[in-house]
Structures are given as C-alpha cells and as structure tokens.
Amino acid sequence: MLSSYGPPGYMTDFDSVPGLLGDWSKAVSGWFDEAIKLVESKPGFSGQRCQYYNQLKQDPGPTLEQPVVWNAFSGTSLRRFGEAQAMEVGETVMPLSERQDGQGVYYTGPAWAKLFYRPHDEYCEWRVDRDEEGRIMRVTFTSEPPEYWQALHGDDLPNLNGEPTYPVPGDPQLLLELYREYVSPDVELEDLICSEDLVEEAEQKTLYPKGSYNPYNRWNTTDGLMHLTHPANSLAAEIELGGVATILRERYGRRITDPDALICGTRYGGANRCSDPMIGCSVNELAALGCWVTLRDPVGLYMDHLDMTGWEKPDGSPVEPEYFRILRGKERFIERAVFEVPSSEGFTVSDVTIGGVPIRYGGQLAQHITVRLVGLAAEPGAFDPIPLPCEHSALIDPANPEYLIQPRPERGPQGEEITAFDYPDVAS
C-alpha cells in the first residue's frame, strides 16, 4: 500500500517546508475520496462498488500501468477555429469572463473580466518570447498544476467544488524566489496575491480569498508563465475525471465505447479536447475489464516528449535535441521546459523549419508535444460492472460539423440546477 502521495513530477520544492509533503498527500488523498463519493452518488449506481480507489486506503495487489497520451495543441481551438486561426488564438490570453469554447462563461462577476487565462486546454500551456523584430527567441511550456503553487503559498487547497478545504503550510518567500528564478527578477510578492476576494457570483462562492495566492496574477498570464491557467487544467479535475470515467455507460441497450459519445453522454470534461475524451475512454476500458482503477503516483499530467523528427536548421541539418531543455520535473514527467536556440548558433527559433515550414507560432511546437498521465489497473475480473444510462447528450454545431456543443443546465440563484435538457444524441 502506498504510504503517501508525492508532489507532481518528483519536484522537490516542498522538501524545505516542514509538514508540506504530508499535507499535500492528505489533499491528494482527499480528492480521491471525494471522487469516489461522487461516483457512488450517481443515479442508479446504488448497489455497485466503486472501482476507483485511493492508494493510501486500498491495496488490491499488483498493478499494470496504462499510459494515456494525447497532443498538447488545443483540440477545442482546432475544431472551433481551424488551424490557421487556432494558431493565432494560441498566442493570446483570454478574460476569465469568456469561455474558450464560446459556450457561456467560466466565472461570473466583474473581477473575472480583468483576469486572464491561456486558451490551451490540454494540460500543457506555453508562452512565446519574441525580439523587437518579432522573431521567436524561445517558447516556454508548463504542465504544473495551480494547486502546487497554492500549496507553496500556504493556502487551503480547494476541494472538487473549488472551495478552500485542505490546509497546508507554505513558504511565500520560496514562492517568490521560484517566480524570480523562472519568470522575472522583477516579481514582488504582492504581485502574486489577491488584492480582493475573487467571487463566483452565480454560485455565491469565494474561490480565492483576499490575501491568498492568485493563480491568475500578471506574471503567470499577461507578463509571464509559471503554471497552468486554463480553468479546466487542474489536478483535482484530473482526479475527478478519472473517477467518473470508471462508470460504464449505455444507450439503447448498447455499452458506449466511442470516446466522443462517452464524454458527451457523461459530461466529465470537454468533448472537443484531445485530453478528456482520451483519458475517459482509456479509464473506462480498464473499468470494463472489471479492474480496480486509479492514477499512478505522483499524480500529475506531464509532457512526455517533444518529437523533433523533420525539424531542420537553416543549413538543412537536423535540429539539436539540446534545444529542448527540461527545467522542472524529469524525463517523461516534464513539468516545465523551454525550446530555445543557443545564441552561439546565430539564428532564432523562427529560422527553424518543421517539415519545411518555418516556425511562426508556439502552437507549431505544441503540435509535436505528447502529454500523458498513467492509469493503474489491478485484479481484472474483481468487478462485474453494470452500465448506467447516459445522463447527457451533445449537439453538432450546424455551422461547424467538426464541433460539438454541450448544452449546460440553467442555474438558479444558489447555483442549483433547475433545468435538465434532453437533446437528441446526435454525437452518440
């Protein structure tokens, strides 16, 4: 049985903060427990056992690893805008009052219109640095979850509903030092904290109290990059998705196995993304084998590698692998990396070609990055799961048949669901 959950990417920042490693493990354990309760509360699930498990509380025996991989470039942007416009969108930041998929808003309230996120929803985000002539000097990538940085500040980590729940000690000075090392020496601690309560007004919920760490601070959005910012890119969301995906689903008496139909019928993530449908389908297949299912420790989403096949320097020779450097994490568990041409080479990233095409956008590099997580399966046949009916459906956008629309229930003044939509399952 696992004794504790470790920090993502085997990173060591927590080592110098007394008690932080233990409390981080308690938070991760808590997220697994919440996900298990969520599964058990699903309509029709009563009488079954949850196949998702917390490794600190359950040991089903020897496990097999199941890597789940996908592309780092936003499937949502690609489907919604097409490749050319998606590349341009990927260079921008968007206000949190606006959803990348165009379906409603992420958060309601005036504060969110002044805070920004990157429209990179595949658990890998990037920032492009250019010189005065617009040439790309470097592209920096991150897969670090925001909860890690909340923990470094010493904030109560959120539960699956986004409410501060799990207390942890922190070291704000260490937080500042890391920002100065990786982002800018000009960062000040006051730049990184909330100057007011950040409230989700529709649900009347304070997500980030005044004085707490602000994951949408300017040094992580408009003026730099430290960790993931997209509202869907969180560690807690990954753990929740893994749990809900263990529930088998059926429609018209047939078990659903198609990734798009499965995610549309359950709505455990974004249907147009590369990541969520792949994660959900892979976990669901392990569950269908009757296995115990969980996520490998350390739990995280990682850049696995950058494929530079066909990349060339201006003289036609292959690009050096050393241009891509891991800054945080380790091989296959990459949390932060940079692609940069050494100044001694006499050219820039913009002079590199991929399949003969010059690099003009950071998204061109992201298209060659593989992101992954690792699922664990144990004791096949331990369960005989019964599929549950699908709870939701999706629509194909009439103006864009490549794009799926997931209608969202209306919400009352307390955030309660007041309308259950029943749409033709054209995506199933």
Side-chain angles (χ1 to χ4, degrees):
M1 185 178 295
L2 193 68
S3 60
S4 64
Y5 284 107
Y10 300 95
M11 293 188 292
T12 59
D13 306 305
F14 290 176
D15 292 356
S16 63
V17 184
L20 184 50
L21 282 169
D23 284 341
W24 173 263
S25 178
K26 291 177 183 177
V28 176
S29 176
W31 292 327
F32 274 101
D33 287 344
E34 288 183 74
I36 292 167
K37 289 182 180 179
L38 180 61
V39 171
E40 294 174 338
S41 70
K42 290 293 183 180
F45 193 80
S46 178
Q48 297 197 59
R49 293 185 300 160
C50 181
Q51 294 174 243
Y52 203 49
Y53 70 98
N54 180 339
Q55 294 178 79
L56 303 191
K57 300 181 178 181
Q58 188 81 29
D59 183 11
T63 58
L64 296 175
E65 293 190 358
Q66 175 61 62
V68 184
V69 299
W70 60 91
N71 190 264
F73 191 79
S74 170
T76 303
S77 292
L78 193 61
R79 285 188 174 188
R80 184 183 180 197
F81 302 114
E83 184 173 22
Q85 187 178 351
M87 287 291 173
E88 295 182 2
V89 170
E91 300 288 295
T92 67
V93 293
M94 302 179 72
L96 283 157
S97 57
E98 178 182 339
R99 285 184 66 100
Q100 173 193 8
D101 58 13
Q103 300 179 47
V105 300
Y106 280 116
Y107 303 118
T108 56
W112 305 103
K114 300 178 291 183
L115 297 170
F116 301 90
Y117 72 99
R118 284 176 289 273
H120 309 151
D121 56 356
E122 306 293 359
Y123 302 101
C124 176
E125 301 181 15
W126 61 91
R127 177 181 173 84
V128 177
D129 290 311
R130 301 176 184 269
D131 65 12
E132 294 180 354
E133 298 178 17
R135 296 174 300 186
I136 297 176
M137 304 306 294
R138 71 187 61 82
V139 184
T140 306
F141 299 89
T142 185
S143 288
E144 296 195 36
E147 295 97 333
Y148 186 89
W149 293 85
Q150 290 176 278
L152 279 172
H153 188 254
D155 299 339
D156 289 354
L157 297 181
N159 61 18
L160 297 188
N161 292 321
E163 301 156 337
T165 300
Y166 303 104
V168 297
D171 185 344
Q173 187 60 37
L174 175 59
L175 174 84
L176 177 61
E177 290 172 2
L178 290 170
Y179 259 88
R180 287 177 171 175
E181 177 181 357
Y182 290 104
V183 180
S184 170
D186 298 327
V187 180
E188 298 293 341
L189 185 59
E190 65 182 17
D191 299 335
L192 307 180
I193 62 177
C194 297
S195 59
E196 59 179 328
D197 288 344
L198 296 181
V199 180
E200 164 45 52
E201 292 190 356
E203 299 183 12
Q204 299 182 354
K205 181 190 304 179
T206 298
L207 299 182
Y208 303 99
K210 181 179 179 180
S212 66
Y213 175 69
N214 178 8
Y216 306 109
N217 70 79
R218 71 183 184 93
W219 294 109
N220 190 39
T221 54
T222 55
D223 297 331
L225 174 146
M226 190 69 250
H227 60 76
L228 300 172
T229 60
H230 194 289
N233 290 345
S234 72
L235 195 60
E238 173 201 358
I239 292 172
E240 178 180 349
L241 190 163
V244 178
T246 60
I247 301 175
L248 305 190
R249 294 290 181 175
E250 67 175 3
R251 195 183 292 276
Y252 309 129
R254 295 183 296 108
R255 186 171 77 85
I256 294 177
T257 59
D258 177 79
D260 286 343
L262 187 60
I263 197 169
C264 289
T266 57
R267 195 175 292 156
Y268 49 61
N272 295 289
R273 297 167 72 181
C274 299
S275 52
D276 290 356
M278 183 62 67
I279 296 169
C281 182
S282 298
V283 170
N284 199 254
E285 286 300 318
L286 294 177
L289 295 174
C291 299
W292 288 96
V293 181
T294 193
L295 304 177
R296 173 181 165 171
D297 179 68
V299 181
L301 296 123
Y302 304 108
M303 288 174 276
D304 185 76
H305 71 283
L306 172 66
D307 185 354
M308 289 184 277
T309 303
W311 295 33
E312 294 183 346
K313 303 178 185 180
D315 63 6
S317 62
V319 165
E320 303 293 339
E322 291 75 19
Y323 291 1
F324 185 69
R325 294 182 290 115
I326 299 172
L327 303 180
R328 289 170 62 81
K330 55 190 290 187
E331 290 284 349
R332 306 203 72 191
F333 294 85
I334 304 171
E335 291 284 32
R336 185 180 184 87
V338 63
F339 184 86
E340 183 176 22
V341 178
S343 57
S344 59
E345 293 277 31
F347 60 90
T348 69
V349 175
S350 290
D351 298 308
V352 174
T353 60
I354 302 176
V357 179
I359 295 177
R360 294 291 178 262
Y361 301 98
Q364 290 171 263
L365 283 73
Q367 286 181 321
H368 294 263
I369 289 180
T370 298
V371 186
R372 73 167 184 144
L373 60 74
V374 180
L376 297 180
E379 199 177 347
F383 296 83
D384 186 17
I386 301 172
L388 303 185
C390 284
E391 298 174 297
H392 306 281
S393 297
L395 300 172
I396 294 174
D397 185 347
N400 179 4
E402 295 291 322
Y403 198 71
L404 298 173
I405 299 175
Q406 295 174 279
R408 298 184 178 276
E410 296 179 5
R411 296 283 176 179
Q414 304 301 319
E416 73 274 17
E417 184 174 312
I418 59 175
T419 302
F421 294 137
D422 184 15
Y423 288 84
D425 58 316
V426 293
S428 297

